Amino acid sequence: MCGIIGYVGDRPCRDILFQGLRRLEYRGYDSAGMSIITDGRFGLLHSVGNLDNLEAILDDLDDTGTLGMAHTRWATHGRPSTENAHPHTDCSGRFAIVLNGIVENYLTLRAELQREGHVFTSETDAEVVAHLVERAYKGSLREAVADAYRRMEGHFTFCTIAVDEPDVIVGIRKETPLVVGLSDGESFVASAVPAFLAHTRSVVFPEDGEIVVVKREGVEILDLDGGAVERPVQQIDWDEETAEKGGFETFMLKEIHEQPAALADTLVERISPDGTVVLDGLGLSPEVIRELRRVVIVACGTAYYAGLAGRYALERWARLPVEVEVASEFRYRDPVIGPDCLCVAVSQSGETADTLAAMRLARQAGARVLAVTNTLGSQATREADGVLFTRAGLEIGVAATKTLVSQILAMLLLSLYVGELRGGLGTDRVREYTEELRRIPAQLSDYLEDGAAAHVEDVAARYASSSFFMCLGRDIGLPVALEGALKLKEISYIPTEAYPAGEMKHGPIALLEDGSPVLVVATDSHVYDKLVSNMQEVRARGARVIAVASEGNESLAEMVDEVLYVPRTDEMLMPLIAVVPLQLFAYYVAKRRGEKVDQPRNLAKTVTVE
Ligand code: G6P
């Protein structure tokens, strides 16, 4: 996820662009850049780190130009560095581009362009666009953009400027946002409305594959063949804060709805056309993987539950013994690890102090260390032997949501990969799983679009005044139950117990009273019948059961008080879907109680102290 802003008008645009970037900083801030056309030449500026670093050198850029673009980056391909910061230019220095999203076939395109003599200066997927436009340009930037777009696969938005056409910005989108702002004698293009809300509320939303030609006097929207397209000008009545959240009332709710995209992005290039898993950068050769004797997963908080889910998959598919441990405990034990052990550190920030310490301990003991993280360039990436990136984009809500599902997905991909290499899983079976995995982003997206949130809100309203919750699950449903309970504790502050459903009768069942709400992860699985017995035990004590169940399981509805149906998938992949109603449940309980969900009390997004 990155932020784009472009301006064309009569005013000097440098400070307008910078202020726009500030409003987009929530989309990423590991590097930034700006490009302005002045006197028929590009002025270019790049910086690493957050926008303060760009601001510090802003005066190096001439401030008289009235057309330009700026970008704030959340790295996906290529670490945060000045070379990888946008805007990127072509070989001739006549075109500059900014991109948000992922160009899936960039390696093929890059190789093709290099064969033709194009010289690349960054590691990014985005740079191919500058060279594609350069190659295609025959006097019309619009046509060159259409040509480049036709060659590109993936989901992205990009905008281009050219020194030969100093009055126009040309942009196009595919499954990622692009909005145009219109005002008197000036126009804007951006990833999101807040970038220009201080200047105009008149907005046009182009659709996928439509080219926007943005000029001082307005915008032309065209299809790829140059045919005119009509799009209405809409008036935005959001305040700035709502606009930043894309129309959602909180970042957490927005991020819950971004989960299908987080999963789709994390899958990019990781499943080959023949259905096997491709993982680069693990720092583990097939020989090393075959010789592993153990895996230790270390993490904190929500990431720990992703690790727990990973254990079921690694053990089942790779037949490797796996331990999962909270990093703050692991680091002070005297764990038995050595060179035949793989330590997997899961951390969305890659900066959590205890997780980093646990990684160091494992390394000193001779273990290989793999970091599963959402943050390129983070400390974890520098200290690990290999890295598996999740691509959830920037998460602002303190209570993790989209980073969790992408971590679980990363653990599943790793388990399939290791499982196939070690012969625990046949290629056909891997193919079946990857086919199911590919379907999940769309299934989840349909689920969220079909009013799931409204239904969960309804149910949550009936239980929001409870003073206690219990969450139960079995097998790979257990980490889902644990995470559901953590969400309730974090944002609603209601004491919540989470337990393996079969173990509950050895203690926590004593907590249940008439009417106590119990959330049960009861999706289809090989332990479903066992779970049904556990639900009966709970109900016999007068508790009320709210079950997360697989779509079509009608008979369950007669046994429980509420059912939250979710789309079907294989039981091993189910955590990716089943956790979503629990996130929503915690969310609406907290909202109903008037809590500030994005900034829960006493918590921090990244804990860099032990
Ligand atoms: C904090 C956050 C949690 C997060 C945990 C681990 O406690 O509030 O949401 O799960 O840190 O963070 P990490 O960045 O290592 O995944």
CSV table of all heavy atoms in Angstrom, one decimal, residues 300-303 347-350 352 398 400 407 490 604-605 607, ligand 1:
chain,number,residue,atom,x,y,z
A,300,CYS,N,4.9,-12.8,19.7
A,300,CYS,CA,4.1,-12.2,20.8
A,300,CYS,C,2.7,-11.8,20.3
A,300,CYS,O,2.5,-11.5,19.1
A,300,CYS,CB,4.8,-10.8,21.2
A,300,CYS,SG,6.5,-11.0,21.8
A,301,GLY,N,1.8,-11.7,21.3
A,301,GLY,CA,0.5,-11.2,21.0
A,301,GLY,C,-0.2,-12.0,19.9
A,301,GLY,O,-0.2,-13.2,19.8
A,302,THR,N,-0.9,-11.2,19.0
A,302,THR,CA,-1.6,-11.9,17.9
A,302,THR,C,-0.7,-12.7,17.0
A,302,THR,O,-1.1,-13.8,16.5
A,302,THR,CB,-2.3,-10.7,17.1
A,302,THR,OG1,-3.4,-10.2,17.8
A,302,THR,CG2,-2.8,-11.2,15.7
A,303,ALA,N,0.5,-12.3,16.8
A,303,ALA,CA,1.4,-13.0,16.0
A,303,ALA,C,1.7,-14.4,16.5
A,303,ALA,O,1.9,-15.4,15.8
A,303,ALA,CB,2.8,-12.3,15.8
A,347,SER,N,6.4,-11.6,13.3
A,347,SER,CA,6.2,-10.3,13.9
A,347,SER,C,5.8,-9.3,12.8
A,347,SER,O,6.6,-9.1,11.9
A,347,SER,CB,7.5,-9.8,14.5
A,347,SER,OG,7.4,-8.5,14.9
A,348,GLN,N,4.6,-8.8,12.9
A,348,GLN,CA,4.2,-7.9,11.8
A,348,GLN,C,5.1,-6.7,11.7
A,348,GLN,O,5.5,-6.3,10.6
A,348,GLN,CB,2.7,-7.4,11.9
A,348,GLN,CG,2.3,-6.4,13.0
A,348,GLN,CD,2.6,-5.0,12.5
A,348,GLN,OE1,2.7,-4.7,11.3
A,348,GLN,NE2,2.7,-4.0,13.4
A,349,SER,N,5.5,-6.1,12.9
A,349,SER,CA,6.4,-4.9,12.8
A,349,SER,C,7.8,-5.3,12.6
A,349,SER,O,8.6,-4.5,12.0
A,349,SER,CB,6.3,-4.2,14.2
A,349,SER,OG,6.8,-5.0,15.2
A,350,GLY,N,8.2,-6.5,13.0
A,350,GLY,CA,9.6,-6.9,12.9
A,350,GLY,C,10.5,-6.1,13.9
A,350,GLY,O,11.7,-6.1,13.8
A,352,THR,N,9.5,-6.0,17.5
A,352,THR,CA,9.1,-6.3,18.9
A,352,THR,C,10.3,-6.8,19.7
A,352,THR,O,11.0,-7.8,19.2
A,352,THR,CB,8.0,-7.4,18.9
A,352,THR,OG1,6.8,-6.8,18.2
A,352,THR,CG2,7.5,-7.7,20.3
A,398,VAL,N,-4.6,-0.6,16.6
A,398,VAL,CA,-3.6,-1.3,17.4
A,398,VAL,C,-4.0,-2.8,17.5
A,398,VAL,O,-3.1,-3.6,17.5
A,398,VAL,CB,-3.6,-0.6,18.8
A,398,VAL,CG1,-2.9,-1.5,19.9
A,398,VAL,CG2,-3.0,0.8,18.8
A,400,ALA,N,-4.5,-6.0,16.0
A,400,ALA,CA,-4.1,-6.5,14.7
A,400,ALA,C,-5.3,-7.3,14.1
A,400,ALA,O,-6.0,-8.1,14.7
A,400,ALA,CB,-2.9,-7.4,14.9
A,407,GLN,N,-0.3,-13.3,8.2
A,407,GLN,CA,0.7,-14.2,8.9
A,407,GLN,C,0.2,-15.7,8.8
A,407,GLN,O,1.1,-16.5,8.6
A,407,GLN,CB,0.8,-13.8,10.4
A,407,GLN,CG,1.6,-12.5,10.6
A,407,GLN,CD,1.4,-11.9,12.0
A,407,GLN,OE1,0.5,-12.3,12.7
A,407,GLN,NE2,2.2,-10.9,12.3
A,490,GLU,N,-8.8,-6.9,24.2
A,490,GLU,CA,-8.1,-5.7,23.8
A,490,GLU,C,-9.0,-4.5,23.6
A,490,GLU,O,-8.6,-3.4,24.0
A,490,GLU,CB,-7.3,-6.0,22.5
A,490,GLU,CG,-6.1,-6.8,22.6
A,490,GLU,CD,-5.4,-7.0,21.3
A,490,GLU,OE1,-6.1,-7.4,20.3
A,490,GLU,OE2,-4.2,-6.8,21.2
A,604,ALA,N,0.1,-0.8,22.9
A,604,ALA,CA,0.8,0.0,21.9
A,604,ALA,C,0.9,-0.9,20.7
A,604,ALA,O,0.8,-2.2,20.8
A,604,ALA,CB,2.2,0.2,22.4
A,605,LYS,N,1.0,-0.3,19.5
A,605,LYS,CA,1.0,-1.1,18.3
A,605,LYS,C,2.3,-1.9,18.2
A,605,LYS,O,2.3,-3.1,17.8
A,605,LYS,CB,0.9,-0.1,17.1
A,605,LYS,CG,0.9,-0.8,15.7
A,605,LYS,CD,-0.5,-1.4,15.5
A,605,LYS,CE,-0.5,-2.3,14.3
A,605,LYS,NZ,-1.6,-3.3,14.4
A,607,VAL,N,5.7,-3.0,20.4
A,607,VAL,CA,6.3,-3.0,21.8
A,607,VAL,C,7.8,-3.2,21.7
A,607,VAL,O,8.3,-4.3,21.5
A,607,VAL,CB,5.6,-4.0,22.7
A,607,VAL,CG1,6.2,-3.9,24.1
A,607,VAL,CG2,4.1,-3.8,22.7
B,1,G6P,C1,1.6,-5.6,20.4
B,1,G6P,C2,0.3,-5.3,19.6
B,1,G6P,C3,-0.3,-6.6,19.1
B,1,G6P,C4,0.8,-7.4,18.4
B,1,G6P,C5,2.0,-7.7,19.3
B,1,G6P,C6,3.2,-8.3,18.5
B,1,G6P,O1,1.2,-6.1,21.6
B,1,G6P,O2,-0.6,-4.5,20.3
B,1,G6P,O3,-1.3,-6.4,18.2
B,1,G6P,O4,0.2,-8.7,18.0
B,1,G6P,O5,2.5,-6.4,19.7
B,1,G6P,O6,3.6,-7.4,17.5
B,1,G6P,P1,4.4,-7.8,16.2
B,1,G6P,O7,4.7,-6.5,15.6
B,1,G6P,O8,5.7,-8.5,16.8
B,1,G6P,O9,3.6,-8.7,15.4
